[in-house]
Amino acid sequence: MIDEHTLNQCLNILLSAGAEYADIFADRGRFYSSLSDDRKISTSAHEQTGVGIRAIKENADYYVVCESFNPNKLIETARRLASGLKLAGEPPSVSLKPGGIPEFYKPQRDPRTVPLTEKIAMLKEAEQYAWDFSDKIKQVTIHYSDLNREIMFASSEEQEILHKNLALIEFFIYVYAGRDGDERQLGRAGKSFYRGWEAFEGESSPKKMVKEACEQALLMLDARECPSGEMPVVFAPGGNGVLFHESCGHGMEADLVQKGSSFAGLMNKQVSSDKITIKDSGLIPGFPGSFSFDDEGIESQETTLIENGILRNYLHSRMTARQMNLSPTGSGRRQSYRYPPMPRMRNTFIEAGPDNPEEIIRGTRRGLYAADVGFGGQVDVVTGRFITSIILGYMIEDGKLTYPVKGATITGIGIETLKDIDMVGNDLVMDPSSGRCGKGQEVPVGVGMPTLRVKKLVVGGAGQAFEGQG
Amino acid sequence: MIDESFAQNLIETAINCGAEKAEAYISEKTETEITIAEGKPESVNVKSDQGYGIRVLLDSKLGFYSSNRLEPLLATENIRQLVRATGLHTSDPFNTLPEHLADQSSDASEIYDPELAQIPLSEKIKTAIEIEKAGRGADSRVAGFVWILYGDVTESYRIISSTGIDVSSSGTTCYGFAYCFANHGEAVQTGRFAKAYGRYSDFNAGEIGRTAADYAVRMLGARDLRGSNMQAVFPPEAGIPIVHALFGMIEADSVQKGKSPFREKIGKQVASDILTLIDDGTLADGLGTRPYDSEGIPTTRTMVIENGLLKNYLYDTYTAKKGKTKSTGNAARSSYHSKPLIFPTNFFIKPTDIDTNEMIGDVEKGILITELSGLHAGINHATADFSVPAKGIVIEHGEMTYPVDNIAISGNLFHFLNNISVIGNDLEWEPIDGMIGAPTFKVEDLKIIGRG
């Protein structure tokens, strides 16, 4: 994409201007998407190519973008950034060599080679399957996309030129079920992977995802209004991990810790029940938060955030690691060349615990079973205060799942909720369905969790006031 | 700017490849964002981009491709592929590209500040630092800032189509944001404030820093409240999120897809007869004002709710054709790589001449709502029932007394709108997807849930 000589020259311009660190992130992105909405199929495509040039000086991040790989334009952009840094220092120099981090993405069938007709046929088949599923299915929206980004990276620190390919496939389905005149009930399913077209075989076949969404929507047609009040909530394993990603995970990203998040100042202290271990990994094959090296050249790794209830690590970018005198954790990510990296989650999960999931439900006299939280809510990532509606829930009565409930919202504070977890199942499920996480810029992430119980959460619903205890 | 012949070539190529109609949107944008921590720059980010988005129509199918790669040969090949891919779509009789109409001119003008481009980065960094200084200086209980942001955008775009449209516009915006926390003993409270300005010389760092500080400090010492029904006063910072939520329910796409509680309610009473809700893309000096929308349609002033009656939804060309009406000029694109979607221009509750202080002075026992959170998750779009966490300040005998936390407002949106009894004169704006505006208003008999 860019020759070694030009990269050397750009980095040297910045170092000579007093940068303590400099890097170059070149990104050639191609995006394809197709949509089936209201029985109509359409597609769109997009290309975006450019280079982000960055310098760190006195703990400030200086960032400029050049939308061309042309050497003259790149050098001119580096000079413009250097002039912003002003101070002239010792003239150090870099001399780049090829880096050794191996490629992570190994598709059997690259989606770019799949003919458009085949992609559309897959979508049509999935759509038809949804409409045929029941005459109560009133609306179907399916979104497919594949993106491919070739990335080239060089920094003044390791002085290596690295390459990686990020190729994400996403498939999401939303169906609305209804009876005549009735309100519409949503059912949804979907996944995203760093894998080839073979991702759609077996467990993750489009039909399977469509079936899951349709069943959920139909079930909700018979749901009653959820009672409101404080009650025990049992969370189903897997995708519900998004709630903990939002309300706790962000608070352990080092930049937000510096901003005074609810996890600040608690290192090596008890922050939850000792049944809780939370990890964030960039190494799970095919998962949306996995890669060979992060977006500032640090090799991918797994980070233990909370170990048996004790806070052990935060997630660091190069910048926060420099500021806090620690090592980066391979968590520096960016949406594209247009954005400087910041600490981000990858695949965040709560480890399996000691309890039998059936026992957890059996041991709950009355409460709510949250089958699918599907975070459609709002969270203050610093305080961890959240509100979200639950897409699919059931009431638990006398230790058994009973009728489905709708209209439930849950509110709480992440770190308080962690402390209120009293049972953790031995059934960890990893889920690549959470899609993209936004923090001023979007990156794909995965989540996971076992069945677990929170002793009490505030549940809002239109049903009558909740009575009785777990 | 990308030259005109490049755009003309895109359209010609599309037509030669078999498109019936084609439209090119070309844009150039420069953005600056500066964040501050502890009196020093934390990040300085300058990005410029230029690119194009092209829409082609054939056989009632609409295709879209966008790129920032401006090599003519590559563009030609990609447009050939676009036309081929579009042929595989499902026909939709409402797909269309707008035609140039003889009366298609606009008097509205977008705010463009030529001075912005001349302001050096170092000057903007100083301005950003001023926000923090003003906030810290406002009150001794201000403990710090989570975010301090200065940003500006300069954007020019041009739309050319085979159907005779050729419009262009340039605009500038500067904006600031402060997220403050204050403490007093153990208690910590936060306050947020964002504001946008059309010109750099209007940018008021002091206003942003001080307001965020005031919002945090005024909540210190918050107590619990015993829930009951009472009068509630919504200042602009609490009313604006409600107006924004209303936009999502009266834009034609959500109505036509049956997702809006306002569907099939045109001509019906949906609010108190003192409420008038307007979207005005032609508003003089409005930051959401522009001569044409992102499809080249002249912007308009649309009465959405007039004296409590639902008058109009807001449309782009697609939903207008489907709804057998005209576009209201509400199509917008966040950049060249976005398809046009329906967004607010200047969307606001029409103010009156009633003083806010007078409105509070008349409250015997009530509450000033200072913050709402998660409104989007808290409203059921099918039934319009809502339950939303909030904070506030109790009003007794016309005086503001103590702050309260851990409350929620609850009810039905239509009852809420019908119970609006007074609207004030202090219209304020916030940039959320467009410009959203509200003056202070009072709601009778609102259910406040508390845990006191």
Side-chain angles (χ1 to χ4, degrees):
Chain A
M1 293 156 94
I2 305 170
D3 67 275
E4 197 177 309
H5 177 72
T6 306
L7 293 172
N8 272 323
Q9 224 178 324
C10 290
L11 292 177
N12 283 330
I13 288 169
L14 297 170
L15 293 178
S16 313
E20 297 148 20
Y21 167 88
D23 68 29
I24 297 177
F25 183 89
D27 183 352
R28 176 177 285 151
R30 295 184 186 84
F31 309 81
Y32 166 85
S33 73
S34 51
L35 176 72
S36 166
D37 184 31
D38 196 17
R39 295 183 192 269
K40 288 173 203 77
I41 286 182
S42 61
T43 69
S44 64
H46 170 50
E47 277 189 76
Q48 207 174 14
T49 278
V51 184
I53 304 178
R54 173 199 191 202
I56 294 180
K57 196 185 150 196
E58 287 164 8
N59 284 337
D61 225 336
Y62 294 83
Y63 200 77
V64 283
V65 157
C66 175
E67 294 216 316
S68 164
F69 294 156
N70 178 303
N72 294 332
K73 285 199 174 154
L74 284 166
I75 288 163
E76 185 193 314
T77 308
R79 287 218 173 96
R80 185 151 23 104
L81 179 58
S83 72
L85 298 174
K86 280 187 210 142
L87 228 139
E90 291 295 298
S93 77
V94 297
S95 163
L96 297 165
K97 57 183 186 304
I101 301 176
E103 186 56 84
F104 209 72
Y105 173 68
K106 290 177 191 122
Q108 287 167 36
R109 193 166 175 218
D110 188 328
R112 286 174 298 177
T113 67
V114 176
L116 211 52
T117 47
E118 191 175 337
K119 290 177 184 173
I120 288 174
M122 182 269 280
L123 209 55
K124 278 187 174 157
E125 198 187 337
E127 183 207 338
Q128 196 53 46
Y129 184 70
W131 286 112
D132 292 345
F133 198 85
S134 159
D135 57 4
K136 296 190 191 77
I137 300 293
K138 300 295 181 194
Q139 192 56 271
V140 180
T141 303
I142 306 178
H143 181 258
Y144 164 85
S145 69
D146 58 61
L147 65 87
N148 192 293
R149 290 169 58 206
E150 287 169 60
I151 286 156
M152 179 178 192
F153 179 85
S155 80
S156 61
E157 196 123 324
E158 285 81 16
Q159 306 203 2
E160 287 179 348
I161 300 172
L162 299 173
H163 293 269
K164 70 175 168 181
N165 198 297
L166 292 175
L168 191 74
I169 289 189
E170 293 171 295
F171 183 96
F172 287 97
I173 169 155
Y174 303 87
V175 298
Y176 289 87
R179 299 189 186 95
D180 288 335
D182 248 354
E183 64 170 285
R184 299 282 162 88
Q185 290 297 337
L186 170 69
R188 46 144 230 163
K191 283 186 178 159
S192 53
F193 318 90
Y194 281 132
R195 291 178 63 193
W197 190 253
E198 67 278 4
F200 289 125
E201 287 162 14
E203 269 307 288
S204 307
S205 76
K207 265 193 180 170
K208 210 155 176 175
M209 290 188 265
V210 171
K211 184 163 180 267
E212 191 186 326
C214 290
E215 283 173 349
Q216 193 182 73
L218 293 174
L219 191 65
M220 291 309 288
L221 281 180
D222 296 318
R224 300 188 217 163
E225 295 291 349
C226 185
S228 63
E230 205 167 74
M231 65 185 87
V233 179
V234 177
F235 289 90
N240 284 335
V242 68
L243 177 65
F244 296 93
H245 161 109
E246 294 289 353
S247 65
C248 299
H250 282 296
M252 292 184 272
E253 293 169 335
D255 58 335
L256 294 176
V257 172
Q258 291 171 340
K259 304 276 186 192
S261 85
S262 50
F263 288 88
L266 296 175
M267 191 51 74
N268 296 318
K269 296 213 169 95
Q270 183 98 26
V271 293
S272 73
S273 138
D274 59 11
K275 287 182 176 178
I276 293 290
T277 291
I278 300 183
K279 291 178 176 166
D280 183 85
S281 172
L283 299 173
I284 304 169
F287 263 61
S290 300
F291 36 74
S292 52
F293 59 88
D294 74 357
D295 296 330
E296 39 183 11
I298 306 288
E299 193 159 3
S300 200
Q301 48 197 274
E302 179 179 278
T303 310
T304 299
L305 299 169
I306 295 174
E307 186 180 29
N308 302 325
I310 312 285
L311 181 64
R312 292 296 187 202
N313 284 294
Y314 298 129
L315 295 173
H316 285 285
S317 63
R318 281 189 196 262
M319 179 63 127
T320 62
R322 284 170 77 90
Q323 289 164 341
M324 295 166 82
N325 216 3
L326 291 163
S327 301
T329 56
S331 311
R333 303 182 66 188
R334 29 186 150 195
Q335 180 177 328
S336 75
Y337 66 91
R338 291 175 50 78
Y339 301 85
M342 54 165 82
R344 300 301 294 265
M345 282 172 271
R346 294 157 297 197
N347 302 296
T348 314
F349 58 97
I350 300 177
E351 272 283 18
D355 302 310
N356 176 331
E358 284 160 22
E359 288 295 328
I360 297 176
I361 295 169
R362 215 173 301 147
T364 306
R365 200 169 69 78
R366 292 202 69 208
L368 176 67
Y369 182 79
D372 184 4
V373 172
F375 203 89
Q378 189 168 317
V379 63
D380 183 326
V381 292
V382 176
T383 60
R385 187 185 286 265
F386 65 87
I387 170 174
T388 185
S389 45
I390 291 177
I391 297 181
L392 176 61
Y394 296 87
M395 288 316 288
I396 304 175
E397 283 174 356
D398 296 323
K400 289 192 192 79
L401 294 191
T402 56
Y403 54 93
V405 288
K406 64 186 174 187
T409 58
I410 49 174
T411 56
I413 294 171
I415 195 165
E416 303 297 325
T417 306
L418 276 189
K419 286 179 185 147
D420 284 339
I421 291 173
D422 62 352
M423 295 182 93
V424 181
N426 53 18
D427 56 341
L428 170 64
V429 176
M430 290 302 298
D431 190 326
S433 71
S434 48
R436 311 226 184 139
C437 164
K439 184 179 167 187
Q441 39 171 313
E442 283 188 348
V443 295
V445 295
V447 296
M449 65 182 274
T451 299
L452 61 77
R453 184 171 79 172
V454 179
K455 270 186 292 189
K456 53 181 184 354
L457 264 177
V458 178
V459 177
Q464 51 187 222
F466 178 80
E467 284 170 30
Q469 273 303 310
Chain B
M1 186 79 174
I2 300 169
D3 64 34
E4 187 187 335
S5 67
F6 180 82
Q8 292 290 5
N9 274 335
L10 296 175
I11 290 168
E12 270 170 39
T13 308
I15 300 292
N16 289 339
C17 291
E20 290 154 23
K21 296 174 183 175
E23 166 209 77
Y25 175 94
I26 53 181
S27 78
E28 190 173 297
K29 192 167 167 180
T30 300
E31 295 165 272
T32 303
E33 277 203 348
I34 297 162
T35 63
I36 299 296
E38 310 287 330
K40 284 191 196 145
E42 178 187 47
S43 74
V44 178
N45 193 346
V46 181
K47 46 196 177 192
S48 304
D49 64 38
Q50 50 174 2
Y52 64 91
I54 178 161
R55 294 197 292 170
V56 297
L57 185 78
L58 60 130
D59 192 19
S60 298
K61 301 165 181 177
L62 194 62
F64 179 72
Y65 172 78
S66 69
S67 180
N68 68 346
R69 299 187 65 184
L70 305 175
E71 302 94 307
L73 277 178
L74 187 72
T76 302
E77 175 50 30
N78 282 322
I79 286 168
R80 189 169 296 137
Q81 282 180 23
L82 165 66
V83 174
R84 205 179 307 139
T86 306
L88 300 171
H89 292 195
T90 315
S91 291
D92 178 343
F94 308 118
N95 275 332
T96 180
L97 287 175
E99 301 283 335
H100 172 75
L101 302 170
D103 59 352
Q104 191 175 46
S105 67
S106 174
D107 299 331
S109 64
E110 195 169 358
I111 297 176
Y112 181 82
D113 178 10
E115 277 174 39
L116 182 61
Q118 312 304 320
I119 309 290
L121 204 51
S122 55
E123 167 75 25
K124 293 176 183 174
I125 292 172
K126 269 188 212 149
T127 298
I129 290 172
E130 281 303 312
I131 300 176
E132 187 178 10
K133 242 187 228 166
R136 285 189 185 270
D139 194 294
S140 61
R141 290 165 292 178
V142 169
F145 284 85
V146 180
W147 296 110
I148 295 282
L149 173 74
Y150 164 87
D152 63 52
V153 183
T154 303
E155 186 175 20
S156 310
Y157 65 88
R158 180 164 184 169
I159 305 168
I160 303 180
S161 79
S162 67
T163 52
I165 284 176
D166 184 354
V167 302
S168 60
S169 183
S170 296
T172 52
T173 314
C174 306
Y175 55 93
F177 175 68
Y179 177 178
C180 174
F181 62 103
N183 59 25
H184 189 64
E186 282 285 288
V188 176
Q189 287 288 346
T190 57
R192 272 169 257 225
F193 183 71
K195 189 158 179 172
Y197 309 84
R199 292 174 188 84
Y200 185 78
S201 58
D202 295 337
F203 189 90
N204 190 339
E207 177 186 24
I208 295 166
R210 278 192 298 271
T211 310
D214 173 48
Y215 285 0
V217 168
R218 72 180 176 183
M219 293 310 297
L220 285 172
R223 312 178 196 169
D224 284 346
L225 180 73
R226 183 184 297 274
S228 68
N229 284 26
M230 59 181 87
Q231 282 189 332
V233 177
F234 287 76
E237 62 269 26
I240 283 169
I242 294 171
V243 177
H244 181 244
L246 285 172
F247 181 83
M249 301 180 198
I250 55 80
E251 57 93 6
D253 190 58
S254 71
V255 173
Q256 291 175 352
K257 288 190 173 143
K259 295 174 187 168
S260 165
F262 286 85
R263 65 187 185 272
E264 291 161 24
K265 284 205 158 60
I266 290 285
K268 298 206 171 115
Q269 176 103 29
V270 292
S272 148
D273 59 14
I274 60 164
L275 183 87
T276 292
L277 186 66
I278 302 168
D279 183 86
D280 189 354
T282 67
L283 188 70
D285 291 324
L287 295 188
T289 300
R290 45 192 195 273
Y292 301 94
D293 78 354
S294 287
E295 298 185 293
I297 303 282
T299 50
T300 57
R301 177 180 169 93
T302 309
M303 301 306 261
V304 174
I305 296 173
E306 192 171 16
N307 301 326
L309 300 180
L310 183 66
K311 291 285 188 180
N312 282 294
Y313 302 121
L314 296 171
Y315 296 91
D316 59 5
T317 36
Y318 175 87
T319 52
K321 194 169 176 189
K322 199 170 183 174
K324 299 191 178 65
T325 179
K326 283 203 298 193
S327 167
T328 51
N330 281 88
R333 322 191 195 210
S334 58
S335 94
Y336 63 87
H337 62 72
S338 313
K339 288 186 230 184
L341 290 171
I342 306 173
F343 280 107
T345 60
N346 302 293
F347 184 66
F348 64 104
I349 292 177
K350 192 179 171 191
T352 65
D353 50 13
I354 297 169
D355 188 339
T356 306
N357 292 328
E358 212 173 288
M359 206 186 295
I360 292 170
D362 287 344
V363 175
E364 203 40 46
K365 168 84 181 150
I367 187 166
L368 179 89
I369 300 293
T370 55
E371 200 179 313
L372 293 176
S373 53
L375 192 61
H376 166 74
I379 297 188
N380 179 325
H381 282 228
T383 60
D385 290 335
F386 65 86
S387 175
V388 181
K391 295 179 181 181
I393 296 171
V394 170
I395 308 172
E396 282 173 349
H397 313 302
E399 299 284 333
M400 304 247 259
T401 60
Y402 54 91
V404 290
D405 200 349
N406 296 311
I407 59 169
I409 62 168
S410 167
N412 179 279
L413 185 64
F414 291 114
H415 293 162
F416 180 95
L417 294 175
N418 264 302
N419 282 349
I420 293 179
S421 56
V422 191
I423 293 172
N425 61 355
D426 54 344
L427 178 62
E428 290 285 345
W429 299 90
E430 241 185 80
I432 321 174
D433 297 336
M435 292 304 293
I436 306 289
T440 300
F441 58 85
K442 190 196 282 181
V443 179
E444 301 296 320
D445 196 31
L446 183 65
K447 184 176 177 187
I448 308 289
I449 300 167
R451 63 181 192 189

